[in-house]
Amino acid sequence: MTPVDLPGPGLWTTSVGSLPKPDYISSGRSRRARGEIDKAELVELERRATREWIEFQDSIGTDVLVDGEQYRGDMVAFFAEALPGLELGGLVRSYGIRYYRKPIATGAVGRDDAVTVEWWQYAQSLTNKPVKGMLTGPYTICDWSFNEHYASRRDFVLDLAKVIRDEALELERAGCRFIQIDEPAASTRMDELDLVIEGMEVVTEPLGAHTITHICYGDFHRAYPKMLDIPVDQIDLEFANSDFSLLDDFAANPFTKYIGLGISDAHSHDVEPVEGLAHGIRRSLEYLLPERTFVDPDCGLKTRSVDEAKGKLSNIAKAVEIVRGEL
Ligand SMILES: [Zn+2]
């Protein structure tokens, strides 16, 4: 376990990862597709949006910031596009009317250049607070891709793990102190939780940074307490959209790591009132220690509007301030 070198009594605020893109990014992308602007002009818009989100998080007093992933589309495709051995395939339906281009492993997965370091450095240059490095975990990249190369899913995951480890090490060398390796797929297939753990061991073993994983979509109740074996310092989980039912599991088996406590429903348009959010934090603190708790929304907020996301993050910050005052 790494000590979290942050001021105060704990109960820090953060975000899970993605934040919504302002309209000028989507119109910039359409203009780029029509050849009206070049790549550098689009990147300039993405940098502007990154700067605005950093400024917003600073303005509400967020403790550990994210860059908001203004330059990413899908969290797996973003890495697949950058890594040799992976190609983007045709459109596949994920849920409802949402489609994404599913990656295909066509060769051994490798890594030529850093994928996220330059964006992290840019975001970190805009604030004195720590900015999280954001990576997608090897198990999730494997689970959301076709495999035409590897003899087994395990071989695929372990090769991906070395690539993600090298990216994490480069973030760390650049000065990054909080590194999040997202494994949203981790609790979707109980028979492979051991593979999630084995892949994460490869990624985090050489790291000195505070490591985090975010898990969502799955059956937490079945994955708990085994998920505590995932070798990271912190696990970030959804509480709001399950009405805090995981706390019952914590009563039976105490949570042993730092936690990311998701208290605002990322899939709802409602901006939850401050007092309700504060109530959720107080309930959780019956089972969790404030000095090991980071408060955030349930999940990335990229599907919300900019105003909804700002409202949710502001109200979380206000709720945390109230409960901190009561500690
Ligand atoms: Zn999530």
Side-chain angles (χ1 to χ4, degrees):
M1 282 288 180
T2 48
V4 175
D5 177 23
L6 290 174
L11 219 56
W12 299 285
T13 52
T14 188
S15 290
V16 175
S18 67
L19 294 171
K21 297 179 179 76
D23 290 338
Y24 59 76
I25 298 267
S26 20
S27 66
R29 289 197 168 167
S30 314
R31 289 168 65 209
R32 172 79 184 121
R34 292 196 299 267
E36 291 167 16
I37 60 171
D38 62 19
K39 171 92 176 135
E41 288 171 286
L42 179 59
V43 170
E44 210 36 64
L45 295 175
E46 292 164 348
R47 284 167 69 94
R48 174 180 153 198
T50 304
R51 190 178 67 241
E52 288 171 0
W53 276 120
I54 293 284
E55 285 168 359
F56 173 76
Q57 292 170 85
D58 264 338
S59 76
I60 60 168
T62 305
D63 295 294
V64 179
L65 281 60
V66 294
D67 74 4
E69 303 173 16
Q70 302 298 295
Y71 51 91
R72 300 188 195 188
D74 170 80
M75 64 185 286
V76 167
F78 171 74
F79 286 92
E81 273 179 309
L83 301 176
L86 292 174
E87 285 173 24
L88 286 186
L91 286 174
V92 171
R93 189 161 88 173
S94 57
Y95 56 90
I97 53 159
R98 293 180 72 90
Y99 286 80
Y100 75 109
R101 294 186 64 198
K102 188 164 174 164
I104 308 166
T106 53
V109 181
R111 173 177 171 276
D112 293 332
D113 300 303
V115 183
T116 63
V117 177
E118 226 176 284
W119 277 107
W120 177 82
Q121 284 174 316
Y122 174 64
Q124 185 62 78
S125 75
L126 303 168
T127 177
N128 295 321
K129 300 277 187 64
V131 176
K132 281 196 275 193
M134 299 295 307
L135 305 173
T136 303
Y139 179 79
T140 296
I141 297 179
C142 164
D143 198 47
W144 292 1
S145 300
F146 294 115
N147 168 25
E148 294 180 356
H149 173 75
Y150 290 98
S152 70
R153 282 165 67 86
R154 181 171 177 270
D155 290 348
F156 188 11
V157 168
L158 294 182
D159 255 11
L160 283 163
K162 289 177 210 152
V163 166
I164 299 301
R165 172 199 64 198
D166 290 348
E167 181 72 16
L169 280 168
E170 200 161 332
L171 279 168
E172 200 171 84
R173 280 195 295 274
C176 187
R177 291 161 44 212
F178 292 81
I179 299 180
Q180 183 167 316
I181 305 109
D182 286 327
E183 288 286 22
S187 59
T188 54
R189 289 177 57 163
M190 284 313 117
D191 55 324
E192 289 195 325
L193 200 45
D194 284 320
L195 184 54
V196 175
I197 292 167
E198 192 179 2
M200 192 64 83
E201 254 159 19
V202 173
V203 179
T204 58
E205 194 274 325
L207 299 177
H210 180 81
T211 54
I212 306 158
T213 192
H214 167 71
I215 299 176
C216 60
Y217 299 127
D219 185 349
F220 297 117
H221 301 290
R222 284 186 60 213
Y224 193 81
K226 180 153 172 91
M227 71 163 77
L228 293 171
D229 294 338
I230 301 174
V232 287
D233 300 306
Q234 177 178 335
I235 302 182
D236 185 271
L237 296 166
E238 312 173 308
F239 287 82
N241 79 5
S242 61
D243 193 29
F244 291 79
S245 61
L246 257 175
L247 296 177
D248 298 333
D249 298 83
F250 294 178
N253 292 285
F255 194 80
T256 54
K257 295 176 183 286
Y258 286 85
I259 194 161
L261 183 71
I263 60 162
S264 167
D265 190 344
H267 303 291
S268 146
H269 295 285
D270 296 336
V271 174
E272 298 94 335
V274 175
E275 196 37 60
L277 296 171
H279 177 65
I281 300 171
R282 290 188 197 104
R283 274 172 78 184
S284 307
L285 288 182
E286 290 173 32
Y287 304 93
L288 299 166
L289 298 169
E291 64 270 26
R292 294 173 80 82
T293 302
F294 290 78
V295 184
D296 60 7
D298 270 357
C299 195
L301 292 174
K302 71 176 178 185
T303 57
R304 298 278 60 83
S305 71
V306 169
D307 285 344
E308 286 166 2
K310 286 185 172 175
K312 282 172 181 282
L313 294 175
S314 299
N315 282 4
I316 289 172
K318 288 174 193 159
V320 165
E321 200 173 318
I322 290 170
V323 181
R324 266 181 186 166
E326 296 164 357
L327 291 177

